[in-house]
Amino acid sequence: MAQVSSPAAGPVGFSLLTLLGLKEGADPAEWGRIRATQLQAGRELALFLLGTNLVAAVGTLLLLSTTVPWWLLAAWSVATCVIATLVTVQRLASHHRSDGYARQEDLRATVWGGLALGIAWAIVPVVLAPHAPVGALAGLGLILVVLMSAAALAMAPLALATLAFLATVGLSLAGSLSWHGAPAAAGGVGLFVAIMTLVCAGRARSLVLIRAAQMALEERDETVSMLLREFEDQSADWLWETDAARRVIKASPRFAVACGLDSLSINGMPFLQVLAGPTWENGNFASGLRVLAEKLKARESFRDLRLPVHINGEERWWELSASPRQDERGAFTGFRGVGSDVTEQRASADKINRMARFDTLTGLPNRLMVNETLVRAINEAEKWGKRCAFMMIDLDRFKAVNDTLGHPVGDRLLSRVSERLAQLMGDNSMCGRLGGDEFAVVVRDATDTAAVEKLARSIIETLSRPYEVDQHTLYIGASVGLATGPRDGRSAEMLIRSADLALYRAKDAGRGVFQSYEPALHVQAEERRVLEISLRGALEKGEMHLHYQPVVDAGTGRLTGFEALLRWQSPEHGNVSPAKFIPLAEEARLIEPIGAWVLRTACHEAAQWPHFVRVAVNVSAEQLQNPQFVSTVTSALANSGLPAERLELEVTESVFMHEELGATKVLDRVLDLGVKLSLDDFGTGYSSLGYLSRTRFSTIKIDRSFVQGAAKGVREAIAIIRAVVALAKSLGMATTAEGVETEAEHELVQELGCSKVQGYFFGRPLPVAEARELANRQYMERNAA
C-alpha cells in the first residue's frame, strides 16, 4: 500500500480501491481534491479520446468495407461514434476544477463511459472480424492494440473507466481468438491486457502522488508565508523598525533603497522625517502622515495605512502596518512593521475609479458621476436655502445618422456633441453623458432662473448647428427637459424623473425646444402608464374593432370605398380616442402588431364587399420602417383573397421626413404588389413636391381644416384646395376632400374640382354590419340602373 504525505494530517495511505473511487481515503477532504484532479485530467483529454475513437472507427470501416454487410458496419460505426461523442460531452460538461473537490460517486460514474466504449469495440472481434479477410485481421488487431495502449497511457487518470475499457476489449479479443483456434494468440492478448492494466494503475498512482505532493507544498508555502508575514499582508515589500523615540533602527537594505537613502545614514533618523521628506521643514504634512504620527504617539497597532511620501523629489504612495513591541519586562521599545510601495496599485485604482465615473467615448462624466454630482447639488441647495437645476438632453434625429452612416460615424458625432456641450459649461455647471444619445447638465446654483433658461436655449442652439464628420454634413437637433430642485424633487431620483417628464413634453411639442417641469406632467405620465398597460392587452382581449367611413364620388354621390378607422372600447377607460391611443401605441412600439391586425381585419371584411368598393387603411411611419411590412401586406391579401388594387394605404407626410430609414423603399415594394397609395392630410405638414413626384400616389386627401376654411370664405383655404386639385390632375391623381359635413361644403369642393369626398354629410364611421349593408345596397342599385 502506497503512502501519500500530508503535512496537515500526516501519512495517508491508499489502496487500489481508493484509487478507483470504490473506497474512501483516510482523509476525505484531501481525497476530494485528488479526485477533482483526476476528473480534470480526464476532461483535458476528452477530445483526444474522441479523436482516437473516430480515427480507429474510420480505419475499421476501411478494412471491413468490402466484406462486412453495409448495414451491420453502418450500425456499428454510428453507435461507436455516438457513444464516443456522448462520453466526451459528459467529461467536458464536468465543472470540477483541479483545486476543487469531487465525490466518490463522481469518479465511479465514469465507469459507464469506459464500459460503453469497451462494449462498442468488443463487437469488432466478436461480430465483425469473422467476416473479414485474413489480410485484414492483422490490421484490426493493430487498431485494438493501439486503442488499448492509448487508453492505458492517456486516460489513466480515470483508472476505473480505463480498466473497464481494457477488460471488455481484451476479454472479447482473447475469447474470439480462443474460439477460432488460436490459444497462443489469446494468451498473448491476455498478457498484453495485464501489462496495460499495470501501466494504467501505475500512471494513476503517479498522478495521485504528484497531486498530493503539490498539495503538501502549497500548505507548506502557506505556513511559511503566515510565519514570515505578521499581518499576512501579501503586498509588503520590506521590514522597518523604530526605537522608543520613533527613530529608525536596524534598517534593512530594501527599506533604505525604498527611502532613497543608504542603510548607514537612515539609522537614527526620525521615522516621520524619513517619510515627510521636504515637507518636514515647513510642517505641511499629508493627512495620512498625521494619522501615522498619532498612532505612533499613542503606541497603537495599525495596518494598511496609506500615505504619500516624497522620495528623490517624486511622490510615492506607501502602505504601512505595524505593532508596538516590548522587552522582557514589558517596557515599550518601539515599533516593528512592514511596508510596501502601492503607487502603481493606487494609480490603477484611480484609473478604475475614473473609468467607473467617466464615459469612455466622450470623456464626459457618466451616469454615476452625474448622479453623485446631482446629489451633492441638492444637499447644498437644501443646506443653504438655494435651488439647483437638472437638464436632460436628447438628440433629435441621431438614430437616423447611426442607421444610415453606421455606428463609427455616430460615435464621432457624439464626441463632437460632447465637445460643444462642455464648452458651454462654467464653474456653476457640469455636463455628462447618460448613455446613447442622452446627455445631462447639473446646475449647482439655479437661483437665477433666467440664466438657467438661457443656458437651455444655448444648448439647443449650439447642438443644432451642422456637424462635419468624415466628409458628411450632419444635421441633428436637441430637446431639453428642465427640473429645479428641491421644488421639483428633493432627491436625485425624483429630480431626474421630473426632468425626464419635461423632456418627454419637449419632444412631444415638436422637438428643438426646452420644457420646464410642471406638476401636471406627473399626473399625465401616470395616466399614460395605466393606459399603456391596458393597451398592451387590448388586442388579445378583443377590445378593438373597426368602423368604416364611406368615401363617395363627388359628382354622383356613389360609394367608391370605405376608410377603416380603429376604435378601442376599454372596460377600464371607456371609448378611448384614437388621437390618444395611437401616439401611445407608436411610442410603446405596439403600433406594428396593432397595425398588422387592422390590415388583416380590413382586408378580410373588404373581400366580402362588391368588387367596385375599395378599403383604405392608415399606415404609420413606424410600420413602414420595418422591411417585414411588405410581407404583412402580402399575407393579408393572400389570406383574405382581396385583389391588391382594392386596397389603398394612407400615409401622412411625416413618412418622408426620415427617408433614410427606408420607408420609401418599403412603399415602393408595396406599390409593386398593385396596392394603391393615398397621401393623407396634405398641406398640414411639410408639403414637399419632391416626394409627390417620386412616389406613385393614386390619391391626395385634402385636410378638413381647408374644407371648413373654404366654406367660411377664407381665400387662402380656397386657393390651397384649387392648387392641390390642379397639382393632382397634372400628376394623374385623384383628390379626396375630408370632413365634408354640409351640403354647402359638398357643393363647394365639387365646384373646386375634388373627385371624391368623405365626411359626416355622406356618412359617419359605420360598424361592420352597417358598412356591409351599405355596400350591398349600392351594388343592387348599380345593377338596377
Side-chain angles (χ1 to χ4, degrees), residues 146-459:
V146 171
L147 265 179
M148 288 189 286
S149 301
L153 295 172
M155 303 308 296
L158 301 178
L160 186 60
T162 306
L163 292 180
F165 176 83
L166 291 173
T168 306
V169 178
L171 288 175
S172 65
L173 181 56
S176 177
L177 290 171
S178 298
W179 178 263
H180 290 90
V189 170
L191 179 61
F192 175 78
V193 171
I195 294 173
M196 289 298 99
T197 300
L198 292 175
V199 170
C200 175
R203 285 181 58 79
R205 177 179 175 277
S206 298
L207 175 68
V208 171
L209 291 173
I210 291 171
R211 179 55 181 152
Q214 289 175 344
M215 287 162 34
L217 287 174
E218 291 169 1
E219 291 177 13
R220 277 198 292 269
D221 288 343
E222 291 175 2
T223 303
V224 171
S225 176
M226 291 174 62
L227 292 173
L228 291 177
R229 311 283 299 276
E230 186 173 356
F231 293 97
E232 299 177 346
D233 187 352
Q234 296 179 0
S235 63
D237 287 332
W238 58 78
L239 299 173
W240 58 272
E241 193 172 346
T242 67
D243 59 13
R246 301 192 288 277
R247 295 186 297 259
V248 177
I249 60 173
K250 302 177 184 178
S252 66
R254 294 185 66 189
F255 176 56
V257 170
C259 295
L261 303 169
D262 60 80
S263 302
L264 296 177
S265 61
I266 194 174
N267 281 314
M269 289 182 63
F271 184 54
L272 294 177
Q273 181 182 351
V274 172
L275 302 183
T279 63
W280 180 258
E281 300 296 334
N282 56 33
N284 187 22
F285 305 142
S287 60
L289 195 64
R290 296 182 185 277
V291 173
L292 174 62
E294 293 296 325
K295 295 290 184 182
L296 296 177
K297 183 178 180 181
R299 301 177 181 179
E300 296 178 353
S301 296
F302 57 89
R303 63 178 302 163
D304 302 335
L305 176 62
R306 291 195 174 190
L307 69 162
V309 298
H310 293 81
I311 308 298
N312 297 328
E314 179 186 4
E315 184 182 76
R316 308 288 295 178
W317 280 83
W318 284 5
E319 188 173 82
L320 303 177
S321 299
S323 58
R325 56 190 180 87
Q326 290 85 23
D327 59 16
E328 61 275 6
R329 297 187 301 274
F332 173 72
T333 59
F335 274 85
R336 180 183 291 128
V338 291
S340 60
D341 190 320
V342 294
T343 306
E344 285 71 24
Q345 294 94 311
R346 190 174 187 275
S348 297
D350 289 344
K351 183 177 180 180
I352 292 172
N353 182 63
R354 177 173 177 80
M355 291 173 63
R357 284 172 169 75
F358 285 83
D359 179 55
T360 55
L361 175 63
T362 63
L364 294 180
N366 63 9
R367 181 181 292 271
L368 174 62
M369 189 167 180
V370 168
N371 190 74
E372 292 174 347
T373 305
L374 182 58
V375 169
R376 289 194 295 270
I378 292 174
N379 292 338
E380 288 294 313
E382 289 191 337
K383 179 179 179 180
W384 302 107
K386 296 182 179 180
R387 287 183 293 179
C388 64
F390 182 74
M391 300 182 195
M392 286 193 72
I393 305 166
D394 185 78
L395 301 183
D396 303 330
R397 299 184 296 280
F398 175 77
K399 184 178 183 298
V401 175
N402 258 353
D403 291 342
T404 55
L405 301 179
H407 289 279
V409 174
D411 288 346
R412 283 189 279 276
L413 176 58
L414 288 175
S415 297
R416 301 286 179 82
V417 169
S418 65
E419 291 171 2
R420 293 188 185 182
L421 192 58
Q423 291 173 357
L424 295 174
M425 299 299 106
D427 296 335
N428 187 40
S429 55
M430 184 271 281
C431 64
R433 182 186 177 209
L434 301 180
D437 61 344
E438 285 191 340
F439 293 81
V441 172
V442 177
V443 180
R444 299 178 182 87
D445 184 358
T447 306
D448 188 347
T449 304
V452 175
E453 293 181 351
K454 181 181 178 181
L455 176 60
R457 283 189 288 267
S458 298
I459 290 172

Side-chain angles (χ1 to χ4, degrees), residues 530-711:
V530 173
L531 192 65
E532 180 183 334
I533 293 173
S534 300
L535 182 59
R536 289 187 179 277
L539 267 184
E540 290 77 5
K541 295 176 182 178
E543 297 173 5
M544 289 190 169
H545 57 278
L546 296 181
H547 281 186
Y548 299 89
Q549 186 170 29
V551 179
V552 303
D553 184 277
T556 63
R558 288 182 176 178
L559 181 70
T560 62
F562 290 97
E563 179 181 1
L565 301 172
L566 181 61
R567 297 292 184 260
W568 178 23
Q569 185 65 40
S570 169
E572 296 88 3
H573 311 285
N575 189 16
V576 185
S577 168
K580 195 172 186 179
F581 75 80
I582 293 295
L584 182 60
E586 292 176 343
E587 178 190 338
R589 300 185 182 275
L590 298 173
I591 196 64
E592 289 189 26
I594 292 176
W597 177 86
V598 170
L599 190 61
R600 290 193 303 268
T601 305
C603 288
H604 181 269
E605 176 59 26
Q608 304 177 55
W609 298 339
H611 64 87
F612 60 86
V613 181
R614 289 182 181 174
V615 64
V617 177
N618 291 280
V619 178
S620 71
E622 284 74 12
Q623 288 175 269
L624 292 174
Q625 290 167 14
N626 184 359
Q628 295 301 317
F629 179 73
V630 181
S631 299
T632 303
V633 175
T634 305
S635 175
L637 292 173
N639 292 333
S640 64
L642 182 72
E645 63 271 11
R646 288 182 56 199
L647 173 63
E648 185 172 73
L649 299 182
E650 293 190 5
V651 300
T652 61
E653 295 168 278
S654 62
V655 168
F656 304 95
M657 287 187 59
H658 305 296
E659 294 187 57
E660 66 278 358
L661 298 181
T664 52
K665 295 180 180 178
V666 173
L667 277 179
D668 287 338
R669 293 172 60 194
V670 171
L671 288 170
D672 290 340
L673 299 175
V675 174
K676 304 299 181 183
L677 186 62
S678 172
L679 180 59
D680 198 9
D681 298 336
F682 181 72
T684 61
Y686 300 90
S687 304
S688 168
L689 299 182
Y691 59 74
L692 275 178
S693 60
R694 290 195 305 270
T695 309
R696 293 167 285 169
F697 289 103
S698 59
T699 303
I700 299 178
K701 302 188 75 171
I702 301 172
D703 187 69
R704 61 179 299 177
S705 60
F706 297 117
V707 174
Q708 292 173 346

